[in-house]
Amino acid sequence: MTQPAAFVVFGEALTDFIRQPDGQWRAIAGGACWNVARAAARLGVATGYAGSVSTDLFGNELYRLAQEAGLDMRFTQQHAKAPLLAMVTSTTPPDYFFIGDDSADLHFDVQRLPAGWMDEARILHFGCISLAREPLASRLLQVAQEAAMRNKKIAFDPNWRKLMDSPSYRILLKQLLGLSHYVKVSDEDLERLFPGDGNALATLQALAPQAEILYTLGAKGMRWIKGEQVIEQAAYAVEVVDTVGCGDASMGGWIASQLRQPDAPTQAHLRCAAAGAAIAASKAGAYAATWEEVQAMIARG
């Protein structure tokens, strides 16, 4: 019997096409929400990735890798639509655009989720461009609103992208922040989410009054913030291969720790978040660490 999914992640899975220095393109399976789901599953938490992928080569690879990560595949759908693609023309500085006007992710059907799934779920996660792409965004907001009414906890990583410059996203951002219990945001994301705001962190806290905030600072570590309380967590020192998926790994580690060891102190959850991010940075691509790898990193300090 499949263990009930305690953590359900909603949002996009996609294929990144990254332009290489020689002009060739490298295709890599990814997507912020999909990465968070894989990270949590690899850390031993019963996790469902609630999204839709295509039925072609790209979608099939995403589906296969989701299976290999140990995700509950009852939550993942496939539709015979075009794949969602991110064309990354430059990584330094970042420059990209998305292809997918009628792609499979937009056809995600909430009614096809497993019967009774919300009764079993403890934390629901939302984030990134899925919340800036209609009609998917409105469907996901409705799920979050229903879950909040049923006293489920909401996790949110805005993960800023160019698509989020619209007035409709600004409205949704405020609505979802108001529902959230866990919010992860990087220093770079915070600046872009609230441009010109001299005290963006205070603005975020005001919009998410009940939330614990995980504020990530790259190599400078991270801070946990709740009201006036602040707890610091340094980054673990590793030889960095790339930073792809580090933020997603930290989010997955933070939430997985809450679910695996709910009575542990906040600092223990932060260590899991920082260790997951560090391990991801030491590997190529969006690497998802195991619980044993994370604990070994913490033990080494």
PDB file of all heavy atoms in Angstrom, residues 16 25 33 85 116 130 142 157 185 198 244 300:
ATOM      1  N   ASP A  16      14.839  22.692 -19.133  1.00  0.00           N
ATOM      2  CA  ASP A  16      15.705  23.844 -19.390  1.00  0.00           C
ATOM      3  C   ASP A  16      16.598  23.559 -20.595  1.00  0.00           C
ATOM      4  O   ASP A  16      17.263  22.516 -20.637  1.00  0.00           O
ATOM      5  CB  ASP A  16      16.604  24.114 -18.185  1.00  0.00           C
ATOM      6  CG  ASP A  16      15.872  24.756 -17.026  1.00  0.00           C
ATOM      7  OD1 ASP A  16      15.198  25.771 -17.242  1.00  0.00           O
ATOM      8  OD2 ASP A  16      15.987  24.233 -15.892  1.00  0.00           O
ATOM      9  N   TRP A  25      23.147  23.535 -27.389  1.00  0.00           N
ATOM     10  CA  TRP A  25      22.153  23.637 -26.321  1.00  0.00           C
ATOM     11  C   TRP A  25      22.140  22.350 -25.502  1.00  0.00           C
ATOM     12  O   TRP A  25      22.171  21.255 -26.065  1.00  0.00           O
ATOM     13  CB  TRP A  25      20.756  23.884 -26.895  1.00  0.00           C
ATOM     14  CG  TRP A  25      20.626  25.216 -27.564  1.00  0.00           C
ATOM     15  CD1 TRP A  25      20.985  25.541 -28.835  1.00  0.00           C
ATOM     16  CD2 TRP A  25      20.118  26.401 -26.972  1.00  0.00           C
ATOM     17  NE1 TRP A  25      20.732  26.856 -29.088  1.00  0.00           N
ATOM     18  CE2 TRP A  25      20.192  27.424 -27.967  1.00  0.00           C
ATOM     19  CE3 TRP A  25      19.598  26.730 -25.724  1.00  0.00           C
ATOM     20  CZ2 TRP A  25      19.760  28.717 -27.728  1.00  0.00           C
ATOM     21  CZ3 TRP A  25      19.175  28.025 -25.476  1.00  0.00           C
ATOM     22  CH2 TRP A  25      19.258  29.006 -26.483  1.00  0.00           C
ATOM     23  N   CYS A  33       9.290  23.815  -8.729  1.00  0.00           N
ATOM     24  CA  CYS A  33       8.381  23.030  -7.882  1.00  0.00           C
ATOM     25  C   CYS A  33       8.698  21.538  -7.977  1.00  0.00           C
ATOM     26  O   CYS A  33       8.692  20.820  -6.963  1.00  0.00           O
ATOM     27  CB  CYS A  33       6.935  23.313  -8.272  1.00  0.00           C
ATOM     28  SG  CYS A  33       6.479  25.047  -8.023  1.00  0.00           S
ATOM     29  N   LEU A  85       9.036  24.611 -21.935  1.00  0.00           N
ATOM     30  CA  LEU A  85      10.483  24.737 -22.111  1.00  0.00           C
ATOM     31  C   LEU A  85      10.955  26.100 -21.611  1.00  0.00           C
ATOM     32  O   LEU A  85      10.274  27.117 -21.791  1.00  0.00           O
ATOM     33  CB  LEU A  85      10.863  24.607 -23.585  1.00  0.00           C
ATOM     34  CG  LEU A  85      10.374  23.360 -24.328  1.00  0.00           C
ATOM     35  CD1 LEU A  85      10.771  23.442 -25.803  1.00  0.00           C
ATOM     36  CD2 LEU A  85      10.898  22.089 -23.687  1.00  0.00           C
ATOM     37  N   GLY A 116      -9.365  11.600  -1.404  1.00  0.00           N
ATOM     38  CA  GLY A 116      -8.997  11.803  -0.012  1.00  0.00           C
ATOM     39  C   GLY A 116      -7.612  12.345   0.232  1.00  0.00           C
ATOM     40  O   GLY A 116      -7.140  12.373   1.377  1.00  0.00           O
ATOM     41  N   SER A 130       4.280  28.707 -12.128  1.00  0.00           N
ATOM     42  CA  SER A 130       2.935  28.130 -12.186  1.00  0.00           C
ATOM     43  C   SER A 130       1.899  29.134 -11.694  1.00  0.00           C
ATOM     44  O   SER A 130       0.732  29.081 -12.113  1.00  0.00           O
ATOM     45  CB  SER A 130       2.866  26.855 -11.339  1.00  0.00           C
ATOM     46  OG  SER A 130       3.181  27.132  -9.980  1.00  0.00           O
ATOM     47  N   GLN A 142      -7.073  28.332  -5.685  1.00  0.00           N
ATOM     48  CA  GLN A 142      -8.276  27.726  -5.099  1.00  0.00           C
ATOM     49  C   GLN A 142      -7.912  26.529  -4.222  1.00  0.00           C
ATOM     50  O   GLN A 142      -8.496  26.332  -3.150  1.00  0.00           O
ATOM     51  CB  GLN A 142      -9.243  27.294  -6.204  1.00  0.00           C
ATOM     52  CG  GLN A 142      -9.920  28.459  -6.908  1.00  0.00           C
ATOM     53  CD  GLN A 142     -10.820  28.006  -8.052  1.00  0.00           C
ATOM     54  OE1 GLN A 142     -10.822  26.837  -8.433  1.00  0.00           O
ATOM     55  NE2 GLN A 142     -11.577  28.934  -8.609  1.00  0.00           N
ATOM     56  N   ASP A 157       7.247  29.381  -2.051  1.00  0.00           N
ATOM     57  CA  ASP A 157       8.523  29.940  -2.507  1.00  0.00           C
ATOM     58  C   ASP A 157       8.238  30.729  -3.778  1.00  0.00           C
ATOM     59  O   ASP A 157       8.085  30.142  -4.848  1.00  0.00           O
ATOM     60  CB  ASP A 157       9.534  28.826  -2.779  1.00  0.00           C
ATOM     61  CG  ASP A 157      10.889  29.371  -3.240  1.00  0.00           C
ATOM     62  OD1 ASP A 157      11.027  30.610  -3.371  1.00  0.00           O
ATOM     63  OD2 ASP A 157      11.805  28.558  -3.464  1.00  0.00           O
ATOM     64  N   VAL A 185      12.394  32.770   0.720  1.00  0.00           N
ATOM     65  CA  VAL A 185      12.676  33.815  -0.265  1.00  0.00           C
ATOM     66  C   VAL A 185      14.161  34.139  -0.212  1.00  0.00           C
ATOM     67  O   VAL A 185      14.763  34.210   0.859  1.00  0.00           O
ATOM     68  CB  VAL A 185      11.814  35.074   0.008  1.00  0.00           C
ATOM     69  CG1 VAL A 185      12.152  35.720   1.347  1.00  0.00           C
ATOM     70  CG2 VAL A 185      11.925  36.083  -1.114  1.00  0.00           C
ATOM     71  N   GLY A 198      12.317  50.103   0.304  1.00  0.00           N
ATOM     72  CA  GLY A 198      13.478  50.202   1.160  1.00  0.00           C
ATOM     73  C   GLY A 198      13.477  49.239   2.328  1.00  0.00           C
ATOM     74  O   GLY A 198      14.513  49.048   2.976  1.00  0.00           O
ATOM     75  N   VAL A 244      22.584  25.505  -9.481  1.00  0.00           N
ATOM     76  CA  VAL A 244      21.277  25.114 -10.012  1.00  0.00           C
ATOM     77  C   VAL A 244      20.510  24.299  -8.967  1.00  0.00           C
ATOM     78  O   VAL A 244      21.008  23.297  -8.467  1.00  0.00           O
ATOM     79  CB  VAL A 244      21.430  24.281 -11.303  1.00  0.00           C
ATOM     80  CG1 VAL A 244      20.077  23.784 -11.779  1.00  0.00           C
ATOM     81  CG2 VAL A 244      22.104  25.115 -12.380  1.00  0.00           C
ATOM     82  N   ARG A 300      29.635  16.739   9.810  1.00  0.00           N
ATOM     83  CA  ARG A 300      30.963  17.263   9.476  1.00  0.00           C
ATOM     84  C   ARG A 300      31.086  18.735   9.824  1.00  0.00           C
ATOM     85  O   ARG A 300      32.171  19.253  10.022  1.00  0.00           O
ATOM     86  CB  ARG A 300      31.257  17.068   7.971  1.00  0.00           C
ATOM     87  CG  ARG A 300      31.539  15.637   7.577  1.00  0.00           C
ATOM     88  CD  ARG A 300      32.211  15.554   6.217  1.00  0.00           C
ATOM     89  NE  ARG A 300      31.393  16.142   5.163  1.00  0.00           N
ATOM     90  CZ  ARG A 300      30.500  15.465   4.450  1.00  0.00           C
ATOM     91  NH1 ARG A 300      30.300  14.177   4.684  1.00  0.00           N
ATOM     92  NH2 ARG A 300      29.800  16.067   3.497  1.00  0.00           N
TER      93      ARG A 300
END
